[in-house]
Amino acid sequence: MMKRINFIWCAILLLLTATSISRAQQPAADEAAEKIKAIQIQYLTKKLDLTSEEAQKFLPVYNNYTREVDQLIAEHRQKLDQDHLTPDEAGKKNMDKELSYQKRMLDIRSRYSTEFQKVLPGRKAGMVFKSEREFRNIMVIHLNNQRMNRMGQGTGTHRRP
């Protein structure tokens, strides 16, 4: 138990140090993304109840997985249609792109599912994608709450007649 707590604290300190060192070199959006990734790693480590040995094996694999997913998402965003096509042609082309994207995402997830099972016990490996989805849902709720709070600040309370 103490090893796990020590590992988590060391990981947090390492991430905070790396974030502060690179702060001067990264735009604000990149900095925010790095902080979210650090929080996500902390959440997954706790949610999966990883021992320090499991975390040492899991985190490099998980980082490779997220790097591949992020790269695929970036490629998908870059391929937005800028061709001069008819609406029907554009619709078909976009559908094909979306299906290709989803297939590639499924391929990545399937491959890493096997990799996670190599470094974690079956129960924990089976919880990785679910825990990741839970984290995204928590973040969406948190960001929506922040946005609602900002909208209410400075503009006073608006009441509908």
Side-chain angles (χ1 to χ4, degrees):
M1 183 67 166
M2 286 301 289
K3 285 183 181 180
R4 186 178 322 130
I5 292 170
N6 287 339
F7 173 80
I8 291 171
W9 280 112
C10 288
I12 291 170
L13 287 173
L14 177 66
L15 289 169
L16 291 175
T17 303
T19 300
S20 64
I21 290 171
S22 65
R23 185 175 284 168
Q25 300 171 355
Q26 294 180 337
D30 287 346
E31 186 178 321
E34 289 299 318
K35 285 182 181 180
I36 290 172
K37 288 215 182 266
I39 294 168
Q40 182 178 22
I41 295 294
Q42 181 183 9
Y43 178 85
L44 287 174
T45 301
K46 184 176 179 181
K47 185 73 175 181
L48 298 174
D49 193 27
L50 299 179
T51 65
S52 59
E53 294 83 18
E54 290 170 340
Q56 287 175 344
K57 293 176 185 175
F58 170 73
L59 292 177
V61 176
Y62 185 76
N63 288 335
N64 290 338
Y65 159 73
T66 58
R67 194 173 308 116
E68 282 191 44
V69 167
D70 290 346
Q71 182 179 2
L72 177 60
I73 291 169
E75 286 175 19
H76 183 63
R77 287 181 180 155
Q78 286 179 348
K79 292 182 180 179
L80 294 176
D81 240 349
Q82 295 179 356
D83 298 335
H84 299 290
L85 303 173
T86 67
D88 286 340
E89 291 171 332
K92 182 181 179 334
K93 189 172 183 178
N94 287 336
M95 184 185 301
D96 291 344
K97 283 181 183 180
E98 184 63 26
L99 289 174
S100 173
Y101 165 77
Q102 289 180 9
K103 182 187 180 311
R104 288 178 60 197
M105 183 65 76
L106 182 60
D107 290 345
I108 291 170
R109 290 171 60 94
S110 295
R111 187 172 73 251
Y112 277 95
S113 174
T114 303
E115 294 298 316
F116 295 147
Q117 291 175 40
K118 290 178 184 177
V119 296
L120 293 176
R123 178 185 61 80
K124 292 179 181 183
M127 291 175 52
V128 172
F129 296 131
K130 179 183 178 199
S131 299
E132 189 179 48
R133 194 170 42 253
E134 287 172 358
F135 177 78
R136 276 194 307 272
N137 290 339
I138 290 168
M139 287 303 297
V140 167
I141 291 168
H142 176 73
L143 293 172
N144 283 338
N145 286 341
Q146 276 189 329
R147 186 173 355 125
M148 295 303 289
N149 288 338
R150 276 195 310 267
M151 288 173 51
Q153 291 179 353
T155 59
T157 306
H158 296 293
R159 291 187 183 178
R160 287 189 153 172

